[in-house]
Amino acid sequence: KAYDYKNDHVEGFNSCVGCHNSHTLELKVEQCAACHANVASAEDARRIRMAGSLKDFDGDGDVNEGIAAEIEGLQGMLLQAIQAYAAEVAGSPIVYDVAVYPYFFIDTNANGQVDGEEAAFPNAYKSWTGRLERAAYNYQVSVKDPGSYAHGGKYIIQLLYDSIEDLNSTLSSPVDLSKANRI
């Protein structure tokens, strides 16, 4: 499939330092506000939706939410697909913890949540298949860049959607992508 690898922004805002302070990495919010209405904080930037992004990517019916929210919706759908695939195909339930390495762990009580001592290195997930590893990698890429909606939102949407679609090809009850869209 074709992937949109870089978000081409307007001239002067196509590099890290175009949008971020080179020393603190803080977003130059005042420069965003010059073109994007209602942007007064970094959190407001998460609600930006470019004119060329008119589809509902996560299928929740909201085409006015920012691209960050679209990505979060797809992340939730991908995690659901990862958990379903891990239990059904790989044979071992999985959970994810963004703050604890190696991030993916055996869901010892199969409740879909990180509980108690589950997020510990000795409990690292080990029942990887190639398909599951690719999807988990794409999920991790999308989660670990909190600015992915601006840095490459289209690309992240494509990775998430395609990962769900790939896992769905083997699931008895696939995650519903009927209302979601790929760029």
Side-chain angles (χ1 to χ4, degrees):
K1 294 187 176 184
Y3 290 91
D4 189 30
Y5 66 93
K6 185 176 184 298
N7 179 21
D8 288 323
H9 211 75
V10 296
E11 190 175 327
F13 297 93
N14 249 345
S15 69
C16 301
V17 296
C19 298
H20 296 273
N21 179 293
S22 61
H23 300 289
T24 66
L25 298 182
E26 288 183 30
L27 187 62
K28 297 177 182 175
V29 176
E30 65 285 348
Q31 292 181 8
C32 298
C35 296
H36 298 285
N38 302 318
V39 175
S41 69
E43 184 59 33
D44 292 340
R46 296 176 53 76
R47 292 189 277 281
I48 294 173
R49 187 172 192 112
M50 302 299 285
S53 300
L54 303 176
K55 292 186 177 185
D56 179 17
F57 300 108
D58 63 2
D60 68 358
D62 187 352
V63 294
N64 295 314
E65 66 187 350
I67 293 299
E70 294 283 4
I71 289 172
E72 288 167 1
L74 285 166
Q75 286 169 334
M77 294 166 70
L78 178 53
L79 184 58
Q80 178 186 352
I82 286 170
Q83 290 180 314
Y85 179 94
E88 182 179 327
V89 178
S92 176
I94 193 170
V95 289
Y96 176 81
D97 189 316
V98 68
V100 181
Y101 178 82
Y103 312 108
F104 291 93
F105 302 95
I106 301 166
D107 187 3
T108 56
N109 60 5
N111 71 349
Q113 305 294 318
V114 178
D115 297 312
E117 300 298 315
E118 286 179 335
F121 190 81
N123 191 44
Y125 195 78
K126 295 176 182 72
S127 298
W128 296 105
T129 67
R131 177 173 272 131
L132 182 58
E133 191 170 10
R134 285 189 304 270
Y137 179 86
N138 289 341
Y139 181 79
Q140 178 78 340
V141 164
S142 77
V143 169
K144 286 298 185 171
D145 179 4
S148 64
Y149 62 93
H151 300 147
K154 291 179 185 179
Y155 176 69
I156 295 297
I157 288 169
Q158 292 163 340
L159 284 181
L160 294 169
Y161 186 96
D162 291 350
S163 295
I164 298 164
E165 188 177 62
D166 185 46
L167 292 175
N168 274 350
S169 71
T170 64
L171 294 176
S172 60
S173 297
V175 172
D176 185 9
L177 281 174
S178 64
K179 295 179 183 172
N181 289 281
R182 183 187 194 278
I183 292 177

